[in-house]
Amino acid sequence: MSSSTPITQDSSSFKNVNIPVLISGAGPTGLFAAILLTKLNIPVRIIERHLEVSPLSKALVIHSRTMELFAQAGIIDRFLDLGSRLSDFHVYFGPKLMSVIPALDTKESHYNYGLFLEQCRTTWGLTEELKEIGVQIDRGWELMDTKVVEENNADGTTTSYVETKIRRAIIGDNIRVAESRILGAVEEDPEEANKGYEVEVIRSEYLIATDGGKSAVRHKLNIAFPGRTLDNNLIIFDGHVDSDVPFDAGITVINGANNRSMVSFPLPNGDIRFLLDNGFLTPEEHAALKPEELTMEVFEKLAGATVAPAKFKCLDQSWLTYYRVNERQAETFCVKQRVFLAGDASHVHSPAGGQGMNTGLQDSFNLTWKMALVIHGMAPKSILDSYEAERKPVADGIIKLSAKLLDMGLAQDFVRRTFKRIAATIAPYILPYINTNNPINMLFIRYHDNAINQRSKSQAHIEEDYQVGQRARDGNLGVIRRQDMGLAAQEGETVRLQQLLVGPGIFHILVFTSDLLLPAPSKNERSTSPPPAAIKGVETTDAIGLAKSIGEHLSAWRSKWSYKTRPQIVELTASTVPERTTPEVKSVSPTLSSDTACSASSLAAIPHPIRADKAFMVHTIASDCSLPSSLKNGESMVSTVASTDRLADNKAGEGKVYLDHQGCIHQKYGVVGKHGPGAIVVVRPDSYIGYRVLGAGPSAWKEVDQYLESILA
C-alpha cells in the first residue's frame, strides 16, 4: 500500500472513533507504550484510576535489554541519571559473608550492569518523558467496561472498533474500602455502594490494557488467567534497621540458620527493602491472614531469627505487607486484533530475577511499532498477530525462570543448601572467565520463525546463533571519511552499532560488505583465500553497484512506505482529539546522545527524531580484514573509488559506510569478514533480526524487497 493512500481497509473504523489508541493503566508499561506511539505520530489517551503515583515500589531494577530499548527510544539519559549501577550480590550464610557474585555483569551489552531504580521513580521518569512530548495522563479515571463492536456494512465488509466505559469519582478517588491489601492479588475488587461517578464512553481503534494483575480489561472480557498461587508466605518491609550485617552495601542474600531466606536492597531514600520468606501456609491460612496484625515488631522477630546471632533491630518502617506470589498467564494477549494485554495484565510471576516490569516494558516495544504501522496504513492488521505469537512464549519462559530462581533462593533442604554454599564459594572466581547467556539481563530472548521473522529460501540455513529472531548485537565501528578510510577503528572516531539503530518505528538495513569496498592488498600481501565470487550460489557486487543499489532501494522504500504526520492521523478520526490529552509540542532540535563518542560534524551517530518521518535507514559496514598493512598502520589513502567516497560522506542512515575493525561485527552476525560475499540484514524496529541474506548483489536486494513486501501493505 502506498504511503499516500488513505486508510480504507475493510476493518478500518476511523469514522467511528474519537481516539486511535486508548491505554488503560499508567504504570511503566502503559507509559512506555504511550511514549512510543506518540513518537510515531499516533494520538493516544492514557487513563489511570489512581490520582497519584504510589511511592511503594515492587520493581527495583532495569535490566540491560530494557536499557537498550530505552536508548533506541531516545529516553535513556534521564534514567541513567536517576538510577545507580548494580551488578554484585552479597551472599551470606547466617551472619557470615560467603562471597560477592557479579550476577548482573555481562559482556554482551554496552549496558553491562543492572540499573537500580525503584518502580515509582521509573514511573516518574516515564511520566516526565511523556509530558515533554505533549501528553498528560488522565488520572482518576478507571475502566468499568469494554467490548469490541463489530458492524456489518452495506458492501458486505465488517467495521470494528473498541467501545469503553470509564468513570471517575465525583468526590474523592476510585479506591474501594474493601480492596485487598495483599500485594500480588489478582482478584477483581468489589464495587462500593452509594458513591457518585462521572461516566464517559470512548470509542477507539485499539485498547492496550496495562492495568496490572487485577486487570479490569481482562476481567470484563472474560479472559482466563490460568496458573497457580504459591503457598509461600512472603513479607515485604521497607524501613531503617540497625544490624551487624551491612545491608546498605548492596543486594544482600541471607540464608539463615533457621532455614529461612531473606533478600535486601538498599533504597535511595536510605530505607532498606527486605523480602522475607516466612514458610508455607495453606490457602485457608493465607485467607485468614490479617494485614493489620503484621507489625514492625513481628517482622523484627522473624528477620532477627534469620540473621542470628547477628544483631537486627527495626528503627522505623515506611511499608510492611504480605506478598502472595501468583504465577499466571492470560489465555490470550489479544481480542479480535483490537484489544491487547501487556505487562502484569497478561502475565504475573514471582519477583525473583526482577523480570516483571522489564517484561512489560518490552511487551510495549514489541506491540507499538506494529500497531503504528497498521494505523499509518503501512502494514495489514495481520501483523498484530505476531505480538501474541512472540510475547506469549517469552512470558512463559519468564514465569518458569522466576519460579526456578525463587525455588532455589528459598530452598533450605540439606542438598540444595549445600549446593548453594558451594556455588556461592566458586562463582566469583569462574563467572568473569566464562561467556554464559545469563537469562536475567534479558539479552538472549529469541523470537522464532513467523510471518515477520523469515529465513532466506534461496540459501542454506546458517547457525542458529546468527539466525532471524535474534537481538541485533552491538559493537564498535570506525567512522570513515575519505581522508582516513584506512585507519583502524580505534585510531579514529568510533560509534557503537546500536547507536545507529535509533527508533522507534524504523527498519534498519545493515549492509555487510566484507572487504569488498577496501583497496586490494598489494602483490606481496595477497591472500590465497578464494575470492568472494567463488562462494557457490552467492552473488556479490562492487562499490559502484552497491552505492547504486542502496540509493535506489532506499528511495523506493521510503516512497512506498512512510509515516503520516500526526495531523493527518487526526483528520481520519470523526472528532478532534481532546486538547488536554495531546497538545501540540514545539519543534525541538534533537541533539546527539551523550554517550556518542563522535563529533556532530562527523554525522557518525543519528539524532533521535522528535516525531517519526522515515521508516527506513541503511548502514554499510566494511571489514578491514584484508586491508594492506601500510594502511592499517595509519597511512591515509590517496584516493578511493568515487562511489565509496560517496558512501563515506553520506549522512548516517543514508548508506554511510563504517569500518569494522578485524571484522568483529561481521563475525557477530555470522558474516565472513575476509574475502566474504557480504550480507544484508534487516533489523526490525524493535532491534531484532527479521531477515538476512548472504551477498550484497542484485539477487540479495531482490530478496529484501520480497521480505518487506510480504510484511508491509
Side-chain angles (χ1 to χ4, degrees):
M1 179 181 293
S2 171
S3 61
S4 60
T5 303
I7 302 177
T8 57
Q9 300 175 17
D10 290 345
S11 57
S12 176
S13 57
F14 273 113
K15 65 184 187 317
N16 296 313
V17 305
N18 50 18
I19 193 74
V21 182
L22 174 66
I23 301 172
S24 178
T29 301
L31 290 167
F32 196 34
I35 290 168
L36 296 168
L37 287 169
T38 302
K39 289 195 170 196
L40 290 168
N41 303 335
I42 307 297
V44 303
R45 183 174 181 185
I46 180 168
I47 62 171
E48 168 57 50
R49 69 190 296 256
H50 293 281
L51 293 173
E52 296 179 347
V53 176
S54 170
L56 309 176
S57 297
K58 292 187 293 180
L60 296 174
V61 64
I62 299 176
H63 286 303
S64 301
R65 180 56 181 156
T66 304
M67 283 188 274
E68 288 183 347
L69 295 178
F70 276 12
Q72 190 176 349
I75 65 172
I76 185 62
D77 290 346
R78 184 189 301 272
F79 297 92
L80 295 180
D81 290 341
L82 287 172
S84 57
R85 295 190 178 197
L86 173 71
S87 62
D88 294 340
F89 281 41
H90 299 75
V91 181
Y92 284 77
F93 279 78
K96 182 180 179 181
L97 176 64
M98 291 294 296
S99 63
V100 178
I101 301 175
L104 298 182
D105 278 1
T106 177
K107 300 175 183 177
E108 181 61 29
S109 175
H110 174 73
Y111 304 100
N112 56 354
Y113 51 88
L115 185 68
F116 190 79
L117 186 64
E118 316 101 289
Q119 183 173 327
C120 61
R121 301 179 77 206
T122 299
T123 301
W124 177 86
L126 290 167
T127 301
E128 291 302 302
E129 292 287 343
L130 193 58
K131 285 180 182 177
E132 289 183 5
I133 56 176
V135 180
Q136 300 289 331
I137 302 168
D138 277 356
R139 290 196 170 275
W141 289 94
E142 68 174 329
L143 183 146
M144 292 308 298
D145 200 8
T146 190
K147 61 183 178 182
V148 177
V149 178
E150 295 177 310
E151 298 176 345
N152 295 322
N153 302 320
D155 60 0
T157 61
T158 301
T159 296
S160 66
Y161 55 88
V162 185
E163 187 172 270
T164 303
K165 183 170 75 172
I166 63 174
R167 73 179 185 186
R168 64 179 173 185
I170 296 174
I171 299 175
D173 57 31
N174 295 316
I175 308 306
R176 299 159 176 76
V177 174
E179 283 193 17
S180 172
R181 292 171 57 192
I182 304 295
L183 186 64
V186 297
E187 298 80 13
E188 190 173 21
D189 290 313
E191 274 295 304
E192 187 170 342
N194 303 318
K195 194 167 186 177
Y197 295 92
E198 175 186 357
V199 177
E200 182 181 345
V201 176
I202 301 173
R203 287 181 170 184
S204 61
E205 277 281 293
Y206 299 101
L207 168 63
I208 303 177
T210 57
D211 49 349
K214 296 182 182 181
S215 174
V217 174
R218 194 184 65 241
H219 282 290
K220 297 304 178 184
L221 293 176
N222 295 314
I223 299 173
F225 204 36
R228 63 173 183 163
T229 301
L230 302 190
D231 294 330
N232 303 82
N233 181 26
L234 301 179
I235 299 172
I236 289 180
F237 171 90
D238 286 1
H240 292 85
V241 301
D242 180 22
S243 177
D244 297 331
V245 178
F247 290 111
D248 57 354
I251 294 180
T252 303
V253 180
I254 305 287
N255 296 278
N258 63 345
N259 288 335
R260 294 285 185 265
S261 298
M262 183 167 67
V263 183
S264 71
F265 310 82
L267 303 179
N269 64 358
D271 282 359
I272 306 293
R273 158 74 53 81
F274 291 92
L275 179 65
L276 172 67
D277 164 35
N278 191 35
F280 298 92
L281 297 179
T282 66
E284 293 75 22
E285 289 172 328
H286 272 295
L289 286 176
K290 297 180 179 179
E292 62 272 14
E293 294 178 359
L294 179 60
T295 64
M296 186 169 70
E297 290 72 24
V298 170
F299 173 77
E300 180 182 291
K301 181 178 179 181
L302 297 172
T306 304
V307 302
K311 177 178 66 175
F312 187 93
K313 182 174 179 58
C314 295
L315 303 178
D316 57 50
Q317 73 176 56
S318 56
W319 192 23
L320 181 59
T321 182
Y322 290 114
Y323 181 23
R324 292 300 306 273
V325 176
N326 276 280
E327 294 174 349
R328 299 181 180 275
Q329 184 174 193
E331 194 170 57
T332 180
F333 288 10
C334 172
V335 177
K336 299 181 179 180
Q337 296 179 325
R338 290 294 178 187
V339 180
F340 297 87
L341 307 184
D344 285 357
S346 55
H347 44 74
V348 293
H349 46 79
S350 90
Q355 304 290 288
M357 180 184 72
N358 288 271
T359 304
L361 291 166
Q362 292 172 39
D363 286 345
S364 289
F365 211 106
N366 183 283
L367 174 63
T368 50
W369 69 268
K370 301 169 184 176
M371 186 175 287
L373 288 177
V374 176
I375 293 174
H376 282 281
M378 296 164 63
K381 282 186 66 177
S382 58
I383 197 174
L384 295 171
D385 295 334
S386 66
Y387 169 67
E388 178 170 319
E390 293 185 333
R391 295 306 295 174
K392 215 169 189 294
V394 169
D396 184 60
I398 294 296
I399 291 171
K400 291 176 181 177
L401 171 65
S402 64
K404 289 178 181 178
L405 293 173
L406 182 70
D407 183 57
M408 181 56 69
L410 300 185
Q412 295 296 335
D413 59 88
F414 175 78
V415 173
R416 286 188 287 181
R417 188 177 176 89
T418 301
F419 173 79
K420 287 196 291 184
R421 184 183 290 270
I422 295 172
T425 303
I426 65 175
Y429 301 100
I430 64 173
L431 285 180
Y433 302 101
I434 59 176
N435 184 22
T436 58
N437 294 353
N438 183 355
I440 294 178
N441 56 41
M442 311 182 85
L443 294 168
F444 300 95
I445 289 172
R446 163 86 186 277
Y447 298 142
H448 292 282
D449 299 8
N450 57 37
I452 59 175
N453 298 327
Q454 301 178 23
R455 302 184 187 223
S456 171
K457 296 179 177 62
S458 67
Q459 298 173 2
H461 291 172
I462 62 167
E463 295 179 40
E464 288 299 312
D465 286 348
Y466 311 115
Q467 197 46 269
V468 297
Q470 303 281 9
R471 156 186 163 272
R473 300 181 67 184
D474 202 4
N476 288 329
L477 293 170
V479 180
I480 300 175
R481 298 191 187 96
R482 277 176 294 180
Q483 68 271 23
D484 68 0
M485 188 168 177
L487 293 180
Q490 69 266 29
E491 295 177 28
E493 296 174 336
T494 61
V495 62
R496 289 186 296 106
L497 175 57
Q498 285 196 0
Q499 286 179 286
L500 305 180
L501 305 183
V502 299
I506 299 174
F507 288 89
H508 292 273
I509 316 300
L510 308 182
V511 182
F512 291 91
T513 69
S514 184
D515 47 10
L516 295 173
L517 298 188
L518 300 181
S522 66
K523 187 174 183 179
N524 294 331
E525 295 173 312
R526 209 162 274 158
S527 171
T528 59
S529 301
I535 298 177
K536 185 177 179 180
V538 177
E539 186 181 29
T540 60
T541 187
D542 57 19
I544 296 175
L546 180 63
K548 181 180 179 182
S549 293
I550 289 174
E552 289 178 350
H553 284 82
L554 191 56
S555 176
W557 296 335
R558 288 177 175 174
S559 175
K560 190 168 188 179
W561 300 295
S562 63
Y563 289 107
K564 295 175 175 63
T565 64
R566 182 180 175 279
Q568 288 174 319
I569 295 294
V570 172
E571 286 175 6
L572 295 173
T573 62
S575 59
T576 304
V577 178
E579 188 68 19
R580 71 177 188 279
T581 308
T582 54
E584 291 293 333
V585 292
K586 295 180 179 179
S587 176
V588 180
S589 298
T591 57
L592 291 177
S593 174
S594 61
D595 61 355
T596 300
C598 314
S599 65
S601 62
S602 73
L603 296 176
I606 305 174
H608 287 273
I610 299 300
R611 288 287 191 269
D613 52 4
K614 301 180 181 69
F616 299 92
M617 290 186 178
V618 177
H619 316 284
T620 307
I621 301 172
S623 168
D624 69 354
C625 283
S626 63
L627 198 65
S629 58
S630 60
L631 293 179
K632 285 186 179 181
N633 291 332
E635 295 179 19
S636 63
M637 292 176 57
V638 176
S639 64
T640 58
V641 295
S643 59
T644 306
D645 285 350
R646 195 157 58 244
L647 286 177
D649 286 341
N650 280 5
K651 292 183 179 179
E654 307 294 317
K656 182 177 179 66
V657 62
Y658 298 88
L659 192 65
D660 179 15
H661 183 54
Q662 295 298 308
C664 292
I665 294 183
H666 278 66
Q667 183 178 358
K668 287 183 178 182
Y669 283 78
V671 183
V672 177
K674 187 172 184 178
H675 301 314
I680 304 177
V681 176
V682 181
V683 178
R684 304 173 355 170
D686 55 356
S687 65
Y688 286 88
I689 297 173
Y691 194 80
R692 53 166 293 137
V693 56
L694 290 179
S699 60
W701 286 98
K702 183 179 179 180
E703 283 199 34
V704 174
D705 280 338
Q706 291 170 341
Y707 165 73
L708 293 174
E709 291 278 358
S710 72
I711 68 170
L712 301 177

